[in-house]
Amino acid sequence: IAEGLGRGSAWSKGGSGGISGSAQVPAAVVPRQGKGLFATRNIRKGETVFVERPVVSSQFLWNALYNYRACDHCLRALETAEENAQRLLGKSSLVLPHPEQCSIRKDLHQQCPRCQVMYCSAECRQAALEQYHQVLCLGPSRDDPTHPLNKLQEAWRNMHYPPETSSIMLMARMVATIKQAKDKEWWIKAFSQFCSKTANEEEEIVHKLLGDKFKGQLELLRLLFTEALYDEYLSRWFTPEGFRSLFALVGTNGQGIGTSSLSQWVHACDALDLPMLQREELDAFIDQLYKDIEKESGEFLNCEGSGLYVLQSCCNHSCIPNAETSFPENNFLLHLTALEDIEAGEEICISYLDCCQRERSRHSRNKILRENYLFTCSCPKCLAQADDADVTSDEEEEGEGETDDAELEDEMTDV
């Protein structure tokens, strides 16, 4: 990645500093008033701009509790597509056609010999062990409610109900990573690359995540976090101010991750070369399956979590994005794909809003962005609508109360 001066983005979410990385990525992070990602060569529509592994990631706690089985390291779904559909449908007799299109390899699955946490492969088990799991492994205390880590997780679940947007264990893995690391300063610098906020902005982020009683809840979490993970080298992270900053960093920069073995099976079936009648029958089966699952399980279809991605976190928002994120490999590897041709020197922007939210009025879009990301958008679409009245339509007024984390999370974890 080349670094250099570039034009500022009026619709930046903020942040500071630049980063360096792989020279094979056709984009550059430019140090300016905020962060931004710019193309270093022409990128064609549909091209993968980059594939990125998170610095750290974690499955959401309620998602894991409700038996959405995922690799504890890379979040790859562990159920077969048929098992996934049976659970979501509440129907153990369901049989999926074309079972050979399921990509799950159960013969490769491994578990931690001490705490029985599951992984999709020996590679993931080893990667977790080397980065953070030595510190976080509960061993025989996995089901002990008095263990400090279990107390921390239970407190978080009692404060942050579904739809989930973050996890206290993402912060725990940050601390554990540094505690285990030989080069602790390298990791501290890696985490410091994510954008920071002022004290008032941090309070707003914490308020959004924890609700009106956030000050008392934040202090309770800090005390439990300290009991479970305190480290003298990171002592500042355990102070009230440092913990709030750490909390806000995760709340601002956490990228939702969604994986699904059923979704992978559907994509594989879509690619099958079938006679017309068989194609129509298969498509009808899949359409009806999703309708039945929606009645039984609602919108909670995926294994869900969040992660910190250095490059992705540099992408600013636009209501007319030229790129989007996805997780087509059924794990935590993030793909950034161009939605249109992007010229060299042009900023690469994603949208923090889902498709429906992007079609709402400028006033409604900015209300969501201010509440969730603490900025007002000045992208070309918003500037073009600057003279529009700062009111919503009657239909949008009815929906204002429904604009919540559920909509944002649904977009964040779209597989």
Side-chain angles (χ1 to χ4, degrees):
I1 267 187
E3 290 189 12
L5 296 176
R7 59 183 176 84
S9 169
W11 51 97
S12 167
K13 69 178 176 183
S16 60
I19 65 170
S20 60
S22 169
Q24 296 177 352
V25 178
V29 177
V30 179
R32 356 180 282 274
Q33 193 169 21
K35 286 183 179 179
L37 198 69
F38 293 79
T40 56
R41 62 165 175 81
N42 293 339
I43 300 171
R44 302 297 299 273
K45 178 180 178 180
E47 184 178 343
T48 299
V49 182
F50 60 74
V51 177
E52 185 175 16
R53 181 185 299 268
V55 179
V56 68
S57 63
S58 179
Q59 186 178 6
F60 292 147
L61 291 179
W62 279 107
N63 190 257
L65 188 67
Y66 278 115
N67 207 28
Y68 288 74
R69 294 171 52 217
C71 173
D72 197 59
H73 183 64
C74 78
L75 274 75
R76 182 183 298 277
L78 297 178
E79 295 174 303
T80 64
E82 189 168 272
E83 290 172 336
N84 190 190
Q86 289 172 347
R87 177 175 55 79
L88 293 173
L89 197 57
K91 186 177 179 182
S92 59
S93 61
L94 175 73
V95 176
L96 292 185
H98 302 286
E100 75 283 353
Q101 298 303 315
C102 177
S103 61
I104 300 303
R105 292 282 308 278
K106 285 198 165 188
D107 57 307
L108 298 179
H109 294 179
Q110 293 199 3
Q111 61 181 190
C112 170
R114 296 191 65 242
C115 68
Q116 282 72 57
V117 161
M118 290 298 298
Y119 298 98
C120 68
S121 65
E123 290 77 15
C124 273
R125 183 174 70 85
Q126 188 63 29
L129 187 67
E130 291 177 356
Q131 184 177 337
Y132 55 80
H133 191 64
Q134 294 175 50
V135 169
L136 298 179
C137 181
L138 291 169
S141 301
R142 182 179 181 185
D143 297 319
D144 179 4
T146 66
H147 189 284
L149 275 174
N150 285 331
K151 287 163 59 179
L152 176 65
Q153 293 180 72
E154 181 63 19
W156 175 259
R157 279 193 292 264
N158 289 332
M159 296 177 192
H160 192 68
Y161 292 96
E164 300 170 272
T165 56
S166 190
S167 172
I168 194 73
M169 293 309 292
L170 194 62
M171 298 165 58
R173 288 189 176 183
M174 292 171 67
V175 170
T177 294
I178 294 174
K179 289 181 76 168
Q180 278 192 212
K182 293 180 180 178
D183 189 349
K184 300 181 187 298
E185 278 303 313
W186 187 94
W187 280 101
I188 289 176
K189 288 179 181 177
F191 290 129
S192 71
Q193 294 176 106
F194 295 96
C195 74
S196 56
K197 297 291 183 181
T198 65
N200 287 339
E201 288 175 329
E202 288 175 350
E203 283 215 354
E204 286 189 56
I205 295 166
V206 176
H207 186 180
K208 181 67 181 177
L209 284 172
L210 296 181
D212 291 336
K213 299 178 181 179
F214 73 95
K215 290 188 177 179
Q217 290 180 327
L218 186 66
E219 180 60 14
L220 173 60
L221 284 174
R222 185 184 72 84
L223 294 175
L224 291 172
F225 195 77
T226 301
E227 179 188 0
L229 294 162
Y230 183 78
D231 186 82
E232 185 65 34
Y233 193 83
L234 296 170
S235 58
R236 184 187 173 279
W237 282 12
F238 295 89
T239 66
E241 296 79 14
F243 187 67
R244 184 190 63 204
S245 295
L246 190 62
F247 207 98
L249 182 151
V250 169
T252 305
N253 295 280
Q255 162 67 43
I257 302 169
T259 64
S260 167
S261 53
L262 179 60
S263 175
Q264 292 286 302
W265 173 83
V266 170
H267 288 312
C269 286
D270 287 342
L272 288 174
D273 185 13
L274 298 174
M276 183 178 296
L277 182 58
Q278 290 184 34
R279 167 54 61 192
E280 291 175 353
E281 290 176 347
L282 181 58
D283 288 347
F285 174 86
I286 291 172
D287 289 343
Q288 188 60 48
L289 176 63
Y290 271 108
K291 288 176 183 177
D292 294 341
I293 287 175
E294 185 177 10
K295 290 178 184 177
E296 181 69 24
S297 300
E299 65 182 29
F300 299 101
L301 305 183
N302 304 327
C303 298
E304 297 182 347
S306 63
L308 296 177
Y309 296 83
V310 175
L311 285 177
Q312 177 275 335
S313 72
C314 298
C315 292
N316 290 312
H317 164 81
S318 173
C319 296
I320 43 173
N322 56 13
E324 67 177 358
T325 60
S326 63
F327 300 90
E329 299 187 45
N330 194 34
N331 61 13
F332 61 16
L333 291 178
L334 180 148
H335 289 233
L336 186 74
T337 306
L339 293 174
E340 58 187 52
D341 291 346
I342 303 173
E343 296 183 0
E346 185 178 351
E347 183 166 14
I348 300 170
C349 293
I350 59 177
S351 180
Y352 304 166
L353 305 175
D354 65 31
C355 296
C356 294
Q357 291 168 339
R358 292 200 296 270
E359 294 307 312
R360 301 178 70 178
S361 69
R362 178 185 61 86
H363 175 72
S364 294
R365 296 196 305 272
N366 275 289
K367 182 175 184 293
I368 298 169
L369 292 169
R370 281 193 299 271
E371 287 179 352
N372 291 279
Y373 301 101
L374 311 184
F375 73 92
T376 298
C377 182
S378 299
C379 73
K381 181 176 182 177
C382 286
L383 291 177
Q385 297 174 347
D387 294 331
D388 292 357
D390 284 340
V391 293
T392 57
S393 65
D394 291 341
E395 180 179 348
E396 287 181 323
E397 286 287 358
E398 293 175 5
E400 286 290 84
E402 300 169 5
T403 300
D404 56 20
D405 290 337
E407 291 178 291
L408 291 167
E409 185 61 20
D410 185 52
E411 170 70 5
M412 287 170 66
T413 59
D414 189 19
V415 180

